[in-house]
Amino acid sequence: MKKLTPLSLALFLMTASSHSMAEMSVDHSKMTQQDHEMMMKHLGMAEEEATPIVNDQRELVLFPEAEYHLTLQNMRDHLRGVNLALMNVASGDYVKAAEAIEQHLGFGNSHGANGLHSAREYMPSGMQMLGHGMHTKANALATTLRDAEITEDSQEIFLKMADLTSQCVACHDAYRLGAE
Ligand code: HEC
């Protein structure tokens, strides 16, 4: 079987992105398993080769099963919050944008099966700090959004949004999760 070299991975990513550009209106969430396999065959890849083998240097952090699933669910909710905030900023509704950030990314956002921040105890301290930093940046963004109702300062919103998403990127670059 052909090994996935960095070059073939790059080619795959290029093919995949031009593919999705050409079919922008296709809803990939409606893809069946069969469709997926067809696409992989079309791209010359068997199912087992579809997982990119990259040199993953991220630290593996193990959570108990329930915390693992709840944390990933919480992560998806974080992304939803960023998305909702951006949509509301785009339509000029800064207060709604602030509410989306507070609700989906603020300090009140619970982690873990046993309520508030119970997953924290399984995190290495660097990860805890990045998580805390994320909530701090989220609060700063929410304040800026509420101010923007008066100032209309979109530059400041972008700055705070970049600060916030830098925390997501930093943590994702450093850690990965597993269930034990
Ligand atoms: C303190 C660390 C940390 C921060 C901060 C963080 N994440 Fe994550 N996130 C993770 C880890 C760890 C994973 C699992 C990655 C893996 O195992 O490959 C993850 C996974 C995810 C996933 C995938 C969820 C799934 O179902 O697989 C999404 C989406 C996500 N994060 C969004 C965000 C967004 C958006 C932000 C910032 C607003 C954010 N995360 C901030 C640590 C973090």
Side-chain angles (χ1 to χ4, degrees), residues 88-104:
N88 280 301
V89 168
S91 54
D93 200 335
Y94 302 114
V95 171
K96 265 205 181 139
E99 284 167 1
I101 293 294
E102 284 159 355
Q103 192 185 335
H104 298 273

Side-chain angles (χ1 to χ4, degrees), residues 54-60 173-176:
V54 288
N55 184 14
D56 195 340
Q57 304 270 2
R58 297 172 303 161
E59 184 180 337
L60 175 64
D173 280 348
Y175 302 100
R176 66 199 165 97

Side-chain angles (χ1 to χ4, degrees), residues 44-177:
M45 301 176 82
E47 193 65 22
E48 65 271 19
E49 287 179 320
T51 313
I53 299 152
V54 288
N55 184 14
D56 195 340
Q57 304 270 2
R58 297 172 303 161
E59 184 180 337
L60 175 64
V61 178
L62 292 176
F63 277 15
E65 184 89 25
E67 261 78 12
Y68 170 79
H69 289 292
L70 276 163
T71 300
L72 290 182
Q73 188 180 52
N74 202 254
M75 287 291 156
R76 297 192 293 275
D77 195 55
H78 287 349
L79 182 56
R80 186 183 311 284
V82 171
N83 179 242
L84 278 172
L86 287 172
M87 286 197 296
N88 280 301
V89 168
S91 54
D93 200 335
Y94 302 114
V95 171
K96 265 205 181 139
E99 284 167 1
I101 293 294
E102 284 159 355
Q103 192 185 335
H104 298 273
L105 294 133
F107 274 107
N109 207 272
S110 70
H111 285 259
N114 307 315
L116 217 56
H117 303 305
S118 75
R120 273 179 64 95
E121 65 189 88
Y122 307 108
M123 294 182 192
S125 63
M127 191 179 182
Q128 278 187 23
M129 273 169 61
L130 285 164
H132 185 83
M134 185 200 78
H135 293 303
T136 306
K137 305 288 184 197
N139 279 11
L141 171 61
T143 305
T144 298
L145 284 165
R146 288 186 187 279
D147 289 349
E149 197 67 9
I150 298 149
T151 62
E152 297 269 340
D153 190 348
S154 55
Q155 194 73 43
E156 192 61 22
I157 294 175
F158 282 126
L159 196 76
K160 294 284 162 48
M161 187 63 90
D163 273 356
L164 169 64
T165 49
S166 293
Q167 299 287 314
C168 325
V169 173
C171 196
H172 295 159
D173 280 348
Y175 302 100
R176 66 199 165 97
L177 281 186

